[in-house]
Amino acid sequence: MTEKEYNQCVDLYADNLFRFIVKNLDHTEDARDVVQNAFEILWKHCKDVPFEKGKSYLFTVAYHNMIDHVRKVKRISLVDEFKEETKISEQRIHDAKKVLEKALDRLTDVQRSLILLKDYEGYSYEEIGDIMKLNPSQVKVYLHRARLHLKQYLVKMENVI
């Protein structure tokens, strides 16, 4: 990939990549860091990555960086939870967007990423498989299971009201 092609990748994929990562992380600054790191890694390996594979390469690198970031944050938050006791209050959620976000939060990281890549970003099973290092049939099965979990959560009246 040439420098010009790299700049084209930035123009073409930066917004989609940022949107995907920020939806998973729910934190804008962390998402910017993950996306910037993905483009930095692409720059370092641009001689090895053909332009046609740039999108897949970016999403794959960003996805793996995001997973590493989530694991790091979970470790930090677990340590903080042990230091001080926190009580979680149950609140009724009436906003549909908040209900959907809460439902997505109940999914595993892989399930949430599959839902967002397929239903929100519109990627094909093959593209999702390339990004997440799964074969298309695994993507279909995992996506089906994720949708079932969402459905089971969203059909219960107490979760929606």
Side-chain angles (χ1 to χ4, degrees), residues 115-131:
I115 293 286
L116 291 174
L117 284 170
K118 181 65 178 160
D119 298 332
Y120 188 76
E121 295 291 335
Y123 288 102
S124 69
Y125 296 117
E126 291 78 17
E127 290 173 322
I128 295 170
D130 289 341
I131 292 167

Side-chain angles (χ1 to χ4, degrees), residues 19 28 34 47 54 85 92 98 102 129 133 138 142 149 151 158:
R19 188 172 51 240
T28 306
V34 169
K47 300 289 185 216
E85 293 182 27
R92 297 283 182 199
K98 289 183 180 178
K102 189 173 180 183
K133 301 216 187 293
Q138 286 177 308
Y142 295 166
H149 285 294
K151 180 182 174 184
E158 64 270 12

Side-chain angles (χ1 to χ4, degrees), residues 14-134:
D15 291 338
N16 291 341
L17 187 61
F18 177 74
R19 188 172 51 240
F20 169 65
I21 299 298
V22 81
K23 281 289 184 184
N24 274 292
L25 292 180
D26 282 335
H27 192 268
T28 306
E29 292 304 317
D30 290 344
R32 283 187 181 129
D33 290 343
V34 169
V35 171
Q36 183 176 351
N37 190 24
F39 278 106
E40 195 175 304
I41 290 171
L42 177 62
W43 178 252
K44 289 178 184 174
H45 297 99
C46 69
K47 300 289 185 216
D48 303 327
V49 179
F51 176 71
E52 299 78 31
K53 300 286 184 180
K55 180 180 180 182
S56 176
Y57 185 85
L58 277 170
F59 272 82
T60 302
V61 168
Y63 173 75
H64 290 291
N65 285 337
M66 178 191 65
I67 295 299
D68 291 342
H69 176 77
V70 168
R71 288 179 182 152
K72 184 173 106 177
V73 169
K74 282 183 182 178
R75 279 193 303 264
I76 292 170
S77 65
L78 284 175
V79 169
D80 290 343
E81 275 184 37
F82 286 124
K83 289 181 181 175
E84 59 182 65
E85 293 182 27
T86 57
K87 295 183 180 180
I88 302 172
S89 63
E90 291 272 334
Q91 296 178 354
R92 297 283 182 199
I93 299 174
H94 300 287
D95 185 19
K97 183 178 177 184
K98 289 183 180 178
V99 170
L100 287 174
E101 287 174 358
K102 189 173 180 183
L104 284 171
D105 286 341
R106 296 176 55 85
L107 298 175
T108 66
D109 295 334
V110 171
Q111 290 174 329
R112 185 180 322 104
S113 295
L114 285 168
I115 293 286
L116 291 174
L117 284 170
K118 181 65 178 160
D119 298 332
Y120 188 76
E121 295 291 335
Y123 288 102
S124 69
Y125 296 117
E126 291 78 17
E127 290 173 322
I128 295 170
D130 289 341
I131 292 167
M132 298 183 66
K133 301 216 187 293
L134 300 170

Side-chain angles (χ1 to χ4, degrees), residues 135-153:
N135 65 47
S137 62
Q138 286 177 308
V139 171
K140 291 175 186 176
V141 169
Y142 295 166
L143 189 59
H144 176 73
R145 290 177 184 162
R147 289 176 176 158
L148 283 178
H149 285 294
L150 282 177
K151 180 182 174 184
Q152 289 172 353
Y153 179 80

